[in-house]
């Protein structure tokens, strides 16, 4: 028995050993197989990388004969406070007979000469032929032939996620610089960009091509921005992974037109769509520009745009996308809807919307009392060389008719003239020395009219201070709190205030931490009494200065004063200086219906005002001390305002900045206020 057990035990040991041997053989085989697989994979990885590199190289080789290097000489170094590019740039052959397309960004400086170097090293002088304002590309011409046009990709073939190679020739004339990425989005920037890429895009490759893995051109690289149409807009996304290419096939479609030298301009309809919290709201028309295609087509404020040609417009986003690539000269079928009907109108887009500019006869009218029964309006002052002066109109004459309509008050006359523009011919009837004179006047521009050297105050009869009715509004120096908004203000109302005549309103926005009440009263009191100006000075809640939350307070305060006193809306202005000028400017631009003008002392206007329109025509007075450091910039601001057809006056004081309110500046400012109701 012992032997048998021992034999059985040995058998079990041998069996167990065999199993372990088999196990290790299997594990070893698996490990060996795994090693072989890893080795095979490791051997395949370099080949995949090499294949990838080879594909990139072949794509570059395919398009390289069509790339050119562009050098510019001369031109402006700074454009709109931005340094212009002076480095070599890139272009792409677009026609065998010497035409080359590139980014317009490289020509901001308006260079005096352009040199193009071809793939084979030949160099040619080039001329600018045309520009496309929407796609922001420029067409150049060199005198040679036989150039190679690269293959193009139709927009329908471009897919998100595919390889995108951005090429440029800034660094080398022989070998293109290359940035590799993918197509990250399609039809961006309101349809202008056929593709968005995460490849690094910058002036290094602006004007160069964005190509696919086969070397076919998807588009031309340019800076773009959804919020700005200027040539340099979008350059702040330099190498950010957000770059754009405009469609190469689209450029080719417009090539014959560009070869003629025609500039391709952005098409303008002339409407402003209401801004909602998002772009998902309906495309409701908030404003129609004067003399625009929209106005000519009968589109009005409150209409909702529901279709552009065959494209349905459901949102503001849809509208911007539909208009993003429309050129001037295109005729659109615009579907509009209002409360009464849905209809389609035809509008031909233009490349420029001329600013509205109200016509000017050239007179100041006497202020008429509320109960006056005298016919027409009496002439107080005639501007030299104005249409009125040339027609022989004199102070003391009375205007009684304008284009067959009887005139009763100067505000009525201002509204009637507002429906006419510069160079319109109008008929007026003037009562002169007891006889009616019929005159034909050609309206002039008033945006550059100088202030009168001498302007006598308007005649306002004084009231008997002992016979004032009960409840007569307070006059003199006032200090109160607007209870609803818990804000204080002070004011000055001329002691001889007569509620039968309209007064000017000057709203003073004080600098941070100082109301300047005493110097303001000293500087303005005499002029307020002389010219019928009510001075209103809201006070900021905090020492640090004004906040945008206080716009409402000032609006309410102006309305409160208008309820108490007879205020002329055409002579309501805001005045400020120093660090509060920006706040004052923002308030005026936010409320053009509430004020007629903005006056600043030793300050620049840093925000662009809205375009003038009938009934909303802002005037500007910019004053400066003799030692103000930004005189040149101030002159440029006034010139820009006048080019926009705003009335703008620049006055340079004889005093330096040590005088807070120079006497000569205050006198000119108050004459400006007193003459804002000129006709």
């Amino acid at each position: 028995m012992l032997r048998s057990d021992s034999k059985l035990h040995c058998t079990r040991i041998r069996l167990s050993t065999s199993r372990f041997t088999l196990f290790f053989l299997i594990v070893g085989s698996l490990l060996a197989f795994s090693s072989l697989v890893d080795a095979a994979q490791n051997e395949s990885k370099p080949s995949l990388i090499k294949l990838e590199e080879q594909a990139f190289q072949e794509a570059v080789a395919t398009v390289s004969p069509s790339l050119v290097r562009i050098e510019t000489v001369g031109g402006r170094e700074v454009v709109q406070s931005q340094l212009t590019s002076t480095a070599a740039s890139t272009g792409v052959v677009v026609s065998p007979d010497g035409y080359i397309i590139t980014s317009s960004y490289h020509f901001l400086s308006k260079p005096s000469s352009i040199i193009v170097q071809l793939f084979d090293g030949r160099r040619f002088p080039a001329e600018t032929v045309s520009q496309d304002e929407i796609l922001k590309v420029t067409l150049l011409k060199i005198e040679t032939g036989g150039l190679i046009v690269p293959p193009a990709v139709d927009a329908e073939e471009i897919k998100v996620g595919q390889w995108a190679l951005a090429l440029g020739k800034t660094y080398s004339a022989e070998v293109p610089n290359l940035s590799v990425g993918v197509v990250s989005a399609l039809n961006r920037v309101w349809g202008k960009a056929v593709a968005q890429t995460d490849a690094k895009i910058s002036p290094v490759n602006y004007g160069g091509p964005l190509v696919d893995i086969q070397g076919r051109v998807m588009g031309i690289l340019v800076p773009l921005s959804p919020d700005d149409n200027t040539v340099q807009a979008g350059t702040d996304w330099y190498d950010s992974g957000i770059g754009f290419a405009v469609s190469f096939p689209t450029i080719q479609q417009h090539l014959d037109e560009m070869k003629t030298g025609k500039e391709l301009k952005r098409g303008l309809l002339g409407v402003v769509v209401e801004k909602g919290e998002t772009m998902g709201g309906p495309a409701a028309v908030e404003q129609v520009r004067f003399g625009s295609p929209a106005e000519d087509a009968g589109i009005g404020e409150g209409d909702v745009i529901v279709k552009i040609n065959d494209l349905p417009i459901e949102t503001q986003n849809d509208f911007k996308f539909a208009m993003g690539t429309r050129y001037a000269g295109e005729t659109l079928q615009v579907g509009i809807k209002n409360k009464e009907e849905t209809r389609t109108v035809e509008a031909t887009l233009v490349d420029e919307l001329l600013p509205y500019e109200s016509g000017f006869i050239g007179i100041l009218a006497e202020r008429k009392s509320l109960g006056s029964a005298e016919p027409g309006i009496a002439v107080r002052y005639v501007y030299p060389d104005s249409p009125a002066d040339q027609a022989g109109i004199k102070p003391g004459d009375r205007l009684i008719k304008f284009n067959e309509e009887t005139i009763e008050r100067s505000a009525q006359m201002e509204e009637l003239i507002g429906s006419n523009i510069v160079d319109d011919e109008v008929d007026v009837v003037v009562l002169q020395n007891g006889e009616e004179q019929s005159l034909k006047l050609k309206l002039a521009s008033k945006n550059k009219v100088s202030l009168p050297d001498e302007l006598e105050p308007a005649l306002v009869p004084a009231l008997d201070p002992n016979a004032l009715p009960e409840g007569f509004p307070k006059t003199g120096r006032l200090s109160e709190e607007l209870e609803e908004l818990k804000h204080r203000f002070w004011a000055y109302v001329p002691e001889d205030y007569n509620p039968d005549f309209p007064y000017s309103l000057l709203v003073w926005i004080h600098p941070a931490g100082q109301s300047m009440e005493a110097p303001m009263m000293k500087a303005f009191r005499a002029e307020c009494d002389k010219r019928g100006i009510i001075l209103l000075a809201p006070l900021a809640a905090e020492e640090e200065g004004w906040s945008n939350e206080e716009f409402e307070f000032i609006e309410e305060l102006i309305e409160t004063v208008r309820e108490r006193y007879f205020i002329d809306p055409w002579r309501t202005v805001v005045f400020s200086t120093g660090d509060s000028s920006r706040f004052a400017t923002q308030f005026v631009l936010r409320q053009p219906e509430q004020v007629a003008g903005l006056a600043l002392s030793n300050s620049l206007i840093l925000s662009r005002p809205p375009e003038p329109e009938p009934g909303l025509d802002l005037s500007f007075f910019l004053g400066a001390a003799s030692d103000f450091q930004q005189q040149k910039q101030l002159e440029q601001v006034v010139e820009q305002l006048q080019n926009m057809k705003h009335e703008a006056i620049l006055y340079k004081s004889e005093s330096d900045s040590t005088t807070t309110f120079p006497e000569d500046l205050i006198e000119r400012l108050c004459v400006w206020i007193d003459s804002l109701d000129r006709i």
Side-chain angles (χ1 to χ4, degrees), residues 620-624 631 634-636 638 642 648-652:
F620 298 88
F621 179 96
L622 300 180
Q631 295 273 6
L634 205 57
E635 292 171 2
Q636 292 172 345
V638 170
Q642 291 176 343
I649 297 291
L650 172 60
Y651 180 74
K652 299 178 182 179

Side-chain angles (χ1 to χ4, degrees), residues 588-589 597-599 605 609 618-622 641 646-649 672:
V588 170
L589 301 188
L598 171 67
I605 295 176
L618 287 172
S619 297
F620 298 88
F621 179 96
L622 300 180
L641 290 170
H646 285 293
E647 300 175 49
I649 297 291
W672 171 72

Side-chain angles (χ1 to χ4, degrees), residues 50-69:
K50 287 180 180 178
L51 287 173
E52 198 173 73
E53 289 178 353
Q54 183 180 347
F56 293 161
Q57 291 168 357
E58 289 177 357
V60 172
T62 298
V63 76
S64 284
S66 303
L67 303 190
V68 303
R69 193 170 198 250

Side-chain angles (χ1 to χ4, degrees), residues 142 148 186 204 314 321 323 332 368 426 507 524 533 625 679:
I142 60 176
I148 300 172
L186 304 175
V204 167
E314 296 180 356
F321 197 93
M323 296 299 298
L332 304 181
K368 197 173 182 179
V426 297
V507 182
F524 280 91
I533 300 173
I679 299 171

